[in-house]
C-alpha cells in the first residue's frame, strides 16, 4: 500500500480523480440501498415494472458510456464531458427529491442516471491517459487507487446515511444528499481540473462511431470481455446468494449479514492495495484470484453454520479485491491506445456480468438451492478463467507468428 499511494498521489489530476470518484461513489452509496424501497414502496411502482426499468437503464448506460468514450477520444477534453454528465446527476437526483412522483423517478432512473453513471468510465479514461503518457508502467497502481476510492465510499456512506435518515418516514432525503454530492463534484471539476488538456487528437477513421463499435465487437476484444464478464459475474452471484445462505442453510440472522458485509467491504479496501503492490501481470493476478474466489463460493455453498461464513471473510475479501480492481486494467488494455473507448468497456463488462449472474441465479435456483447456485457460480468463474487463458495464449502465439 505504501508504494501504491505515492504513485497515484504524485500527479495532481490523479489526486483530483480520486476525490471525484469518491464523490461519485458517495452518490451511489447514498441512494443505491434505498432505490428499490423508494421506487416500489414510496412511489408505488410494481415489482415487474421496476425490474424492467432497472434492466433498460443498465442497457442505456452501456450505450451512453460507449458513445461518451468515443466522443472523449475524438475531442480529447474530459473536463467538458465530466461537467456535462455530472450535471445530469445534479438534475436527476434533485428532480426526484423535489418532485417525488413515479414520472420523475422513471426519468431519473432511465435517462439522467445512466448518463451520469458514464462519469466513472470518463474518470478511468482520464487517469489511463495519464498512465499512457508516462509509459503505462503505473497504470495498475493508479487504477487500484482510484477504484479503492469507490470502495471507501461504499464502506462509509451507507451506514452514515442510515444514521441521518433514522426515524424518518421517507428515504427520499438520500436523493437530496446525492444531489449535493453531485454539486460538490461539479464544483471540484470546474475549479480544479485544468482547462487546457493539450491539442485534440488527430482524427482518423478509427474515431468514427461505427468503426469504434466494430472494435468493441471484434472477436479478439469481445471474446476476452465475455471471459472477464464470466469471472466477475461471480461477485454478483455472491451478492445474491450470500444473504440467503446466511439466513438459510447457515442458520444465521439478518445481523450476521450486516456484520459480514461490513467486514468484507473494509478488508477489500486494504487488499486492493495489496494486489497493486504485488505487481503481477493482470492475467496472472486474475487467474489466482478467480481460483481463490471459486474456492470461496464452493465453501460458501457448503456452509451450515454462521461461523463458517465468518471464517470465509478473509478469503472472500482477498479474492474479491482483485476481481473488482484488476479487471479494470485488463479491460482498458483491450483497446490500450483509445483511453475513452477502452474505459467505456468497463460499463459493458458490468452489464454483461450482471446479466450472466441473473441467468446463473435463475438456473441454480431452478434445479438446486441457494447453496447449489453458489457452487454453480464458482464453476462459471472457472469457465471464464479457462476462456481468458485460452484467448491470452492464442493471442500471444499470433503475435509471435507476426514477428
Amino acid at each position: 500500500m505504501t508504494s501504491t499511494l505515492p504513485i497515484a498521489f504524485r500527479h495532481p489530476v490523479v489526486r483530483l480523480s480520486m476525490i471525484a470518484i469518491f464523490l461519485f461513489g458517495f452518490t451511489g452509496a447514498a441512494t443505491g440501498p434505498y432505490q428499490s424501497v423508494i421506487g416500489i414502496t414510496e412511489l408505488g411502482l410494481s415489482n415487474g415494472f421496476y425490474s424492467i426499468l432497472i434492466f433498460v437503464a443498465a442497457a442505456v448506460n452501456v450505450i451512453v458510456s460507449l458513445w461518451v468514450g468515443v466522443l472523449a477520444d475524438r475531442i480529447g477534453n474530459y473536463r467538458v464531458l465530466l461537467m456535462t454528465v455530472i450535471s445530469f446527476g445534479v438534475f436527476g437526483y434533485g428532480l426526484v427529491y423535489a418532485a417525488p412522483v413515479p414520472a420523475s423517478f422513471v426519468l431519473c432512473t432511465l435517462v439522467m442516471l445512466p448518463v451520469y453513471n458514464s462519469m466513472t468510465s470518463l474518470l478511468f479514461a482520464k487517469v489511463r491517459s495519464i498512465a499512457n503518457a508516462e509509459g503505462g508502467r503505473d497504470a495498475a497502481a493508479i487504477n487500484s487507487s482510484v477504484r479503492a476510492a469507490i470502495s471507501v465510499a461504499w464502506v462509509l456512506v451507507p451506514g452514515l446515511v442510515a444514521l441521518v435518515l433514522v426515524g424518518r418516514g421517507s428515504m427520499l432525503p438520500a436523493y437530496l444528499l446525492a444531489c449535493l454530492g453531485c454539486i460538490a463534484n461539479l464544483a471540484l471539476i470546474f475549479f480544479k481540473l485544468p482547462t487546457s488538456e493539450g491539442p485534440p487528437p488527430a482524427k482518423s477513421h478509427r474515431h468514427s462511431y461505427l468503426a469504434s463499435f466494430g472494435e468493441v465487437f471484434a472477436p479478439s476484444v469481445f471474446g476476452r470481455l465475455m471471459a472477464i464478464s464470466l469471472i466477475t459475474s461471480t461477485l454478483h452471484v455472491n451478492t445474491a446468494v450470500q444473504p440467503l445462505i446466511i439466513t438459510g442453510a447457515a442458520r444465521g440472522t439478518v445481523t450476521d449479514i450486516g456484520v459480514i458485509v461490513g467486514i468484507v467491504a473494509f478488508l477489500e479496501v486494504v487488499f486492493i492495495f495489496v494486489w497493486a503492490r504485488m505487481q503481477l501481470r493482470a492475467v496472472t493476478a486474475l487467474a489466482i484470484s478467480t481460483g481463490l474466489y471459486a474456492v470461496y463460493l464452493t465453501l460458501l455453498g457448503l456452509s451450515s453454520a454462521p461461523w463458517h461464513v465468518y471464517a470465509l471473510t478473509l478469503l472472500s475479501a482477498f479474492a474479491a479485491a482483485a476481481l473488482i480492481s484488476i479487471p479494470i486494467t485488463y479491460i482498458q488494455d483491450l483497446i490500450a491506445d483509445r483511453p475513452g473507448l477502452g474505459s467505456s468497456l468497463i460499463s459493458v463488462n458490468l452489464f454483461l456480468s450482471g446479466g450472466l449472474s441473473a441467468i446463473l441465479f435463475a438456473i441454480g435456483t431452478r434445479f438446486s438451492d441457494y447453496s447449489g447456485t453458489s457452487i454453480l457460480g464458482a464453476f462459471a468463474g472457472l469457465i471464464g478463467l479457462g476462456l481468458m487463458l485460452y484467448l491470452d495464449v492464442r493471442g500471444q502465439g499470433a503475435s509471435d507468428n507476426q514477428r
Side-chain angles (χ1 to χ4, degrees):
M1 183 186 305
T2 55
S3 63
T4 302
L5 284 175
I7 293 174
F9 273 100
R10 74 187 179 194
H11 199 293
V13 176
V14 175
R15 293 198 302 270
L16 178 90
S17 298
M18 290 180 67
I19 299 171
I21 205 73
F22 173 82
L23 289 171
F24 173 82
F26 171 89
T27 60
T31 57
Y34 313 111
Q35 179 174 281
S36 59
V37 174
I38 293 171
I40 296 173
T41 304
E42 297 194 29
L43 300 181
L45 301 180
S46 68
N47 292 331
F49 182 82
Y50 180 79
S51 299
I52 295 173
L53 178 66
I54 295 302
F55 174 80
V56 175
V60 172
N61 178 241
V62 171
I63 296 171
V64 171
S65 294
L66 286 171
W67 184 81
V68 170
V70 175
L71 187 60
D73 288 331
R74 286 172 65 92
I75 68 176
N77 192 319
Y78 292 93
R79 183 174 183 269
V80 172
L81 290 175
L82 283 169
M83 292 176 61
T84 301
V85 299
I86 294 173
S87 297
F88 275 82
V90 172
F91 289 109
Y93 287 124
L95 181 63
V96 173
Y97 177 74
V101 295
S104 65
F105 183 85
V106 171
L107 178 63
C108 174
T109 305
L110 192 59
V111 179
M112 298 293 191
L113 289 188
V115 176
Y116 168 66
N117 287 335
S118 66
M119 176 186 173
T120 181
S121 297
L122 281 174
L123 283 172
F124 278 110
K126 180 61 179 175
V127 298
R128 181 53 189 254
S129 67
I130 295 171
N132 285 348
E134 297 183 1
R137 299 180 304 275
D138 301 328
I142 291 174
N143 279 338
S144 296
S145 299
V146 176
R147 179 59 182 83
I150 300 180
S151 297
V152 170
W154 276 91
V155 169
L156 299 177
V157 174
L160 294 176
V161 171
L163 288 175
V164 172
L165 301 183
V166 66
R168 294 179 178 267
S170 171
M171 294 296 180
L172 279 169
Y175 275 71
L176 174 61
L177 294 173
C179 179
L180 295 175
C182 288
I183 292 173
N185 221 346
L186 187 61
L188 179 73
I189 299 299
F190 180 78
F191 289 109
K192 294 297 183 180
L193 191 66
T195 56
S196 176
E197 302 187 50
K203 298 291 192 302
S204 71
H205 172 68
R206 288 187 65 208
H207 288 87
S208 72
Y209 291 103
L210 186 61
S212 296
F213 291 146
E215 286 193 62
V216 172
F217 291 103
S220 60
V221 173
F222 195 73
R224 288 177 168 83
L225 197 58
M226 283 298 300
I228 292 298
S229 297
L230 271 170
I231 290 172
T232 54
S233 71
T234 58
L235 297 170
H236 297 281
V237 171
N238 177 66
T239 299
V241 302
Q242 186 193 59
L244 300 169
I245 291 175
I246 291 173
T247 56
R251 301 188 300 277
T253 65
V254 175
T255 302
D256 291 318
I257 296 175
V259 173
I260 289 171
V261 170
I263 292 172
V264 172
F266 172 77
L267 290 174
E268 282 175 355
V269 176
V270 177
F271 286 138
I272 283 174
F273 293 105
V274 172
W275 280 101
R277 191 175 183 182
M278 291 167 67
Q279 294 294 313
L280 298 173
R281 287 182 62 241
V283 172
T284 303
L286 284 171
I288 295 171
S289 56
T290 302
L292 291 175
Y293 207 72
V295 171
Y296 156 71
L297 285 176
T298 302
L299 294 176
L300 177 66
L302 299 175
S303 297
S304 57
W307 73 266
H308 293 164
V309 187
Y310 278 98
L312 292 172
T313 54
L314 196 64
L315 175 61
S316 168
F318 182 69
L323 296 184
I324 64 178
S325 59
I326 295 173
I328 294 173
T329 303
Y330 182 90
I331 289 170
Q332 289 177 315
D333 284 341
L334 295 180
I335 312 178
D337 61 336
R338 297 281 302 278
L341 183 61
S343 297
S344 71
L345 297 181
I346 298 169
S347 295
V348 180
N349 169 63
L350 288 174
F351 178 76
L352 291 174
S353 60
L356 288 168
S357 69
I359 294 172
L360 292 170
F361 185 83
I363 294 174
T365 53
R366 173 66 177 82
F367 296 101
S368 182
D369 54 13
Y370 300 128
S371 297
T373 303
S374 182
I375 297 173
L376 177 64
F379 182 67
L382 293 176
I383 292 177
L385 173 60
L387 178 60
M388 180 190 71
L389 293 176
Y390 168 74
L391 292 174
D392 186 64
V393 170
R394 191 178 68 172
Q396 287 183 344
S399 298
D400 292 339
N401 289 335
Q402 290 176 353
R403 294 191 192 100

